[in-house]
């Protein structure tokens, strides 16, 4: 690739923060005068915004690079410029440039330099930037232009927790909070652009703080005052950063939605210790008691890992009994995946694949049961739904309840409207409603 690309396409694979980063990279390309391509196969520049969290996620980038090149060959067009961004770029760095012969490798803390890297790659054929200057990128990015009723806003990045299975502290760096004023400004520009709901993002979002000790609840209180903003959410939280002020905010701030994603990972204290989670089963359950006391209708969510090295059947059953004790509204659950460079990858006691499969199945059966029960309990209730997009059927619209359930209904309400909906039926993954 020698000419400068004129069209771009960004493809994000990872968590919500990766999606946010992807949006900001797209805005950055647009600010350079490039235009969005209709799809990946017609773009001059393809940004693959990757995730390193589990082995499967990492493998995706290599198969995607192959596919992009093959499609270009089949269509008889020049090979596009390929930029690998995100957490795989950070973890593997130059190695990807050599292994997969991509043009640009750019880490999650360096993507504000993408225009320079594109220029460099155009001139010299290759460019890499995996520096981690704390917070520098946010100041260097163009203003938000994303419209649409729901928006992500990164307020905190990185992780100092070092759970023994996890790559995030290595790929995203140390915990850093963005300044209060910059966040409030970005929230206002998102609302001006049409956002009615903002989800505050961080690897440990509830660790957000500033020199004044404002805390995430103080930030939420400031966003609560933005006219036009109807809903505030935040994710992902760590149990140890679940401070009293934030719990109280769930009782006091009307715009703060009754939903908490608080990963626990496992229900057995020996496993939690080996994971370096720094909370116990009991301390986690006590936090949930306090949250429920503040906001009795709160929907709880979590993440689980089955088959951590050395996990016995009895220890796994502690996870099942914790699930029974909590009654989650929805959860994510994963088989343990050893990640290079993490302490757990060196631990003995690998759990055989078929045992992991069996445990995951049993865990998911329990989680699905609880999700179905949570959804069934909504039938007959009337609640506000934020309309997010059109459904597949004519006149059908899709939106979210306060508890983050997907709701579909036939209505002439427009995208961005917040309307009262009576829930009439619960399906496994969504609710059917009628405008009240
Ligand atoms: N606090 C983070 C967590 C990111 S990882 C956040 O911002 O969401 C999301 C989930 O992936 C974790 O909660 C954990 O359940 C799972 N996970 C992390 N490392 C894993 C590994 N090595 N194998 C399997 N699952 C993993
Ligand atoms: Fe990973 Fe643990 Fe940090 Fe979450 S808290 S990002 S699981 S190290
Ligand atoms: Fe994946 Fe990085 Fe997010 S590893 S989960 S994209 S922080």
């Amino acid at each position: 690739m020698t000419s400068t690309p004129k069209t771009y396409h960004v493809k994000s694979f990872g968590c919500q923060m990766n999606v946010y980063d992807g949006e900001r990279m797209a805005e950055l390309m647009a600010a350079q005068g490039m235009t969005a391509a209709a799809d990946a196969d017609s773009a001059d520049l393809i940004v693959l915004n990757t995730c390193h969290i589990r082995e499967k996620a990492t493998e995706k980038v290599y198969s995607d690079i192959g596919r992009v090149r093959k499609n270009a060959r089949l269509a008889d067009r020049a090979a596009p410029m390929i930029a690998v961004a995100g957490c795989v770029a950070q973890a593997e760095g130059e190695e990807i440039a050599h292994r997969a012969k991509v043009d640009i490798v750019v880490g999650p803390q360096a993507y504000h330099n993408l225009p320079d890297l594109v220029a460099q790659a155009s001139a010299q054929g290759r460019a890499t930037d995996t520096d981690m200057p704390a917070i520098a990128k946010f100041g260097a990015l163009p203003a938000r232009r994303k419209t649409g009723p729901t928006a992500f806003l990164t307020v905190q990045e990185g992780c100092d927790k070092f759970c023994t299975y996890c790559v995030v502290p290595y790929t995203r760096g140390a915990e850093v909070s963005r300044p209060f004023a910059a966040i409030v400004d970005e929230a206002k520009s998102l609302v001006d652009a049409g956002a009615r709901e903002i989800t505050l993002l961080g690897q440990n979002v509830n660790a957000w703080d500033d020199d004044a000790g404002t805390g995430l609840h103080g930030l939420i209180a400031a966003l609560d005052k933005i006219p036009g903003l109807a809903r505030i959410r935040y994710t992902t939280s760590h149990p140890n950063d679940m401070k009293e002020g934030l719990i109280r905010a769930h009782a006091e701030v009307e715009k703060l939605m009754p939903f908490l994603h608080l990963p626990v990972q496992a229900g057995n204290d020996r496993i939690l210790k080996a994971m370096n989670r720094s909370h116990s089963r009991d301390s986690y359950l006590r936090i949930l008691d306090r949250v429920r006391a503040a906001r009795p209708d709160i929907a709880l969510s979590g993440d689980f890992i089955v088959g951590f090295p050395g996990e016995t059947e009895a220890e796994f059953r502690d996870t099942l009994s914790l699930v029974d004790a909590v009654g989650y509204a929805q959860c994510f659950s994963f088989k343990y995946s050893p990640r290079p460079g993490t302490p757990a990858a060196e631990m003995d006691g690998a759990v055989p694949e078929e045992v992991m499969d069996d445990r995951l199945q049993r865990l998911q059966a329990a989680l699905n049961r609880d999700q179905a029960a949570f959804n069934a309990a909504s039938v007959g209730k009337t609640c506000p739904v934020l309309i997010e997009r059109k459904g597949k059927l004519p006149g059908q619209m899709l939106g979210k309840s306060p508890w983050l359930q997907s709701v579909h209904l036939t209505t002439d309400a427009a995208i961005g409207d917040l309307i009262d909906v009576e829930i009439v039926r619960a399906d496994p993954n969504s609710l059917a409603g009628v405008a009240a």
Side-chain angles (χ1 to χ4, degrees):
M1 179 97 209
T2 44
S3 62
T4 310
K6 295 185 179 58
T7 61
Y8 66 89
H9 182 82
V10 181
K11 192 171 167 188
S12 293
F13 298 85
C15 56
Q16 287 143 318
M17 192 175 289
N18 244 32
V19 173
Y20 171 88
D21 292 340
E23 286 169 1
R24 300 221 68 174
M25 284 190 263
E27 290 165 346
L28 186 57
M29 297 297 98
Q32 300 297 306
M34 293 172 68
T35 50
D39 53 38
D41 290 325
S42 56
D44 302 334
L45 167 69
I46 297 177
V47 180
L48 298 174
N49 190 21
T50 60
C51 175
H52 197 52
I53 200 77
R54 284 168 290 275
E55 195 180 356
K56 271 209 189 108
T58 303
E59 278 166 3
K60 263 194 207 141
V61 57
Y62 290 101
S63 56
D64 241 64
I65 292 167
R67 186 162 49 235
V68 161
R69 291 219 169 100
K70 185 167 160 228
N71 288 350
R73 264 198 318 276
L74 290 176
D76 217 16
R77 57 191 292 270
M81 183 181 275
I82 299 179
V84 175
C87 288
V88 179
Q90 191 65 43
E92 299 193 355
E94 286 273 312
E95 217 174 287
I96 313 175
H98 294 300
R99 192 171 142 193
K101 307 257 176 305
V102 297
D103 306 276
I104 296 171
V105 178
V106 60
Q109 308 302 356
Y111 65 75
H112 54 293
N113 294 329
L114 205 44
D116 285 349
L117 297 169
V118 170
Q120 246 180 68
S122 301
Q124 300 155 20
R126 193 160 289 178
T128 298
D129 189 347
T130 51
D131 285 352
M132 286 196 160
I135 229 82
K137 73 170 178 245
F138 293 102
L141 292 169
R144 303 306 312 271
R145 354 158 118 216
K146 187 198 141 87
T147 51
T150 64
F152 291 140
L153 201 179
T154 293
V155 303
Q156 180 280 340
E157 217 177 325
C159 184
D160 297 339
K161 305 288 191 286
F162 290 94
C163 301
T164 52
Y165 50 80
C166 184
V167 293
V168 171
Y170 312 98
T171 63
R172 290 274 167 176
E175 276 179 21
V176 180
S177 293
R178 288 180 68 191
F180 179 85
I183 296 167
V184 175
D185 280 353
E186 190 171 328
K188 283 181 181 157
S189 53
L190 285 167
V191 172
D192 288 344
R196 304 221 56 203
E197 170 180 300
I198 290 180
T199 302
L200 304 176
L201 297 182
Q203 269 86 34
N204 291 286
V205 70
N206 56 343
W208 183 89
D209 213 350
D210 58 10
D211 294 339
T214 305
L216 189 66
H217 59 284
L219 185 60
I220 288 168
L223 299 194
D224 186 42
K225 296 200 188 79
I226 299 177
L229 182 63
R231 292 179 162 189
I232 303 167
R233 302 182 184 276
Y234 61 96
T235 197
T236 295
S237 297
H238 191 283
N240 286 10
D241 293 316
M242 207 64 215
K243 292 170 203 104
E244 184 56 30
L246 184 57
I247 294 176
R248 244 192 355 260
H250 276 285
E252 292 166 1
V253 181
E254 209 185 318
K255 289 182 185 177
L256 184 60
M257 290 295 101
F259 189 94
L260 175 64
H261 181 63
L262 196 67
V264 64
Q265 316 297 353
N268 173 273
D269 283 340
R270 191 192 73 85
I271 295 294
L272 287 171
K273 195 148 195 247
M275 287 177 162
N276 192 32
R277 284 294 295 178
S278 66
H279 60 77
S280 65
R281 173 195 178 96
D282 198 52
S283 68
Y284 175 83
L285 290 173
R286 281 203 314 262
I287 293 165
L288 294 190
D289 286 343
R290 284 163 55 212
V291 174
R292 274 189 163 139
R295 182 78 205 220
D297 70 335
I298 198 147
L300 296 171
S301 164
D303 293 344
F304 293 89
I305 297 175
V306 302
F308 186 80
E311 184 190 62
T312 65
E313 169 63 22
E315 287 165 342
F316 167 68
R317 284 202 200 131
D318 288 341
T319 295
L320 291 179
S321 74
L322 178 134
V323 167
D324 291 347
V326 173
Y328 288 98
Q330 60 167 72
C331 281
F332 300 98
S333 49
F334 312 98
K335 288 190 275 183
Y336 169 71
S337 171
R339 309 307 295 127
T342 60
E346 311 293 317
M347 290 179 188
D348 295 332
V351 175
E353 193 67 24
E354 61 274 17
V355 176
M356 283 207 266
D357 282 330
D358 172 67
R359 287 181 190 169
L360 188 65
Q361 228 171 47
R362 287 151 67 201
L363 174 60
Q364 290 185 342
L367 294 172
N368 290 343
R369 171 203 67 199
D370 291 349
Q371 179 170 344
F374 185 84
N375 287 342
S378 300
V379 176
K381 284 187 193 155
T382 296
C383 66
V385 167
L386 177 60
I387 304 294
E388 294 182 6
R389 57 198 166 90
K390 288 199 164 92
K392 283 201 188 93
L393 305 173
Q396 191 185 53
M397 300 299 267
L398 304 180
K400 293 268 163 55
S401 78
W403 306 279
L404 209 63
Q405 297 148 299
S406 293
V407 180
H408 57 91
L409 72 157
T410 305
T411 171
D412 45 22
I415 291 172
D417 285 354
L418 194 59
I419 58 169
D420 279 336
V421 173
E422 186 191 341
I423 306 302
V424 295
R425 198 181 69 239
D427 299 329
N429 294 310
S430 64
L431 302 174
V434 290

